[in-house]
Amino acid sequence: QVQLVESGGGLVQAGGSLRLSCVASGRASNSYYIAWFRQTPGKEREFVTYISQSGATTNYAESVKGRFTISRDNVKNTVYLQMNSLKPEDAAVYYCAANLGGADFQARHYGYWGQGTQVTVSS
């Protein structure tokens, strides 16, 4: 069982930056791939990025490449999402999710989810 808690969302102007955090707790929480997804009303959750257990492997959606960076600190059991050059289309509820099975782009394969944190980008 893994518990995930996100924080760091808020309101930012277009072009600005935010850093989201996802704190994991529970059994062997550092044994999981961690991903960030985002969701807007009426749409399915969209893959943003994931990071492997060691942090050596990452992957990003094309829409955020070059602007977002995922990292993790396994001592603090925390995964970060640094978001730069934010655009209005980045506005969404951002969720972190954990997957013991490995790298995956599909939300349905992630068994553990946080409660989400709202990111609002004003134009």
Side-chain angles (χ1 to χ4, degrees):
Q1 192 80 359
V2 175
Q3 294 79 43
L4 304 170
V5 178
E6 304 98 333
S7 62
L11 172 65
V12 64
Q13 287 188 333
S17 298
L18 280 175
R19 189 177 80 158
L20 306 183
S21 298
C22 172
V23 179
S25 61
R27 184 181 178 192
S29 57
N30 290 336
S31 299
Y32 291 75
Y33 264 70
I34 300 292
W36 287 95
F37 289 81
R38 63 189 182 186
Q39 188 171 27
T40 53
K43 293 189 177 181
E44 294 186 354
R45 287 186 185 183
E46 174 192 18
F47 170 78
V48 177
T49 180
Y50 66 60
I51 189 167
S52 63
Q53 297 90 332
S54 68
T57 300
T58 60
N59 210 327
Y60 297 89
E62 286 296 324
S63 59
V64 307
K65 274 183 181 177
R67 300 187 299 120
F68 290 12
T69 303
I70 190 171
S71 62
R72 71 191 295 167
D73 182 338
N74 284 339
V75 173
K76 296 182 178 180
N77 293 328
T78 302
V79 173
Y80 302 99
L81 180 62
Q82 178 67 44
M83 305 187 295
N84 298 330
S85 302
L86 281 161
K87 304 175 181 179
E89 51 264 42
D90 294 318
V93 178
Y94 282 71
Y95 298 90
C96 65
N99 177 22
L100 187 59
D104 206 303
F105 300 99
Q106 300 183 74
R108 62 189 178 94
H109 292 155
Y110 285 77
Y112 303 99
W113 292 84
Q115 82 289 351
T117 186
Q118 178 72 50
V119 171
T120 304
V121 184
S122 63
S123 56

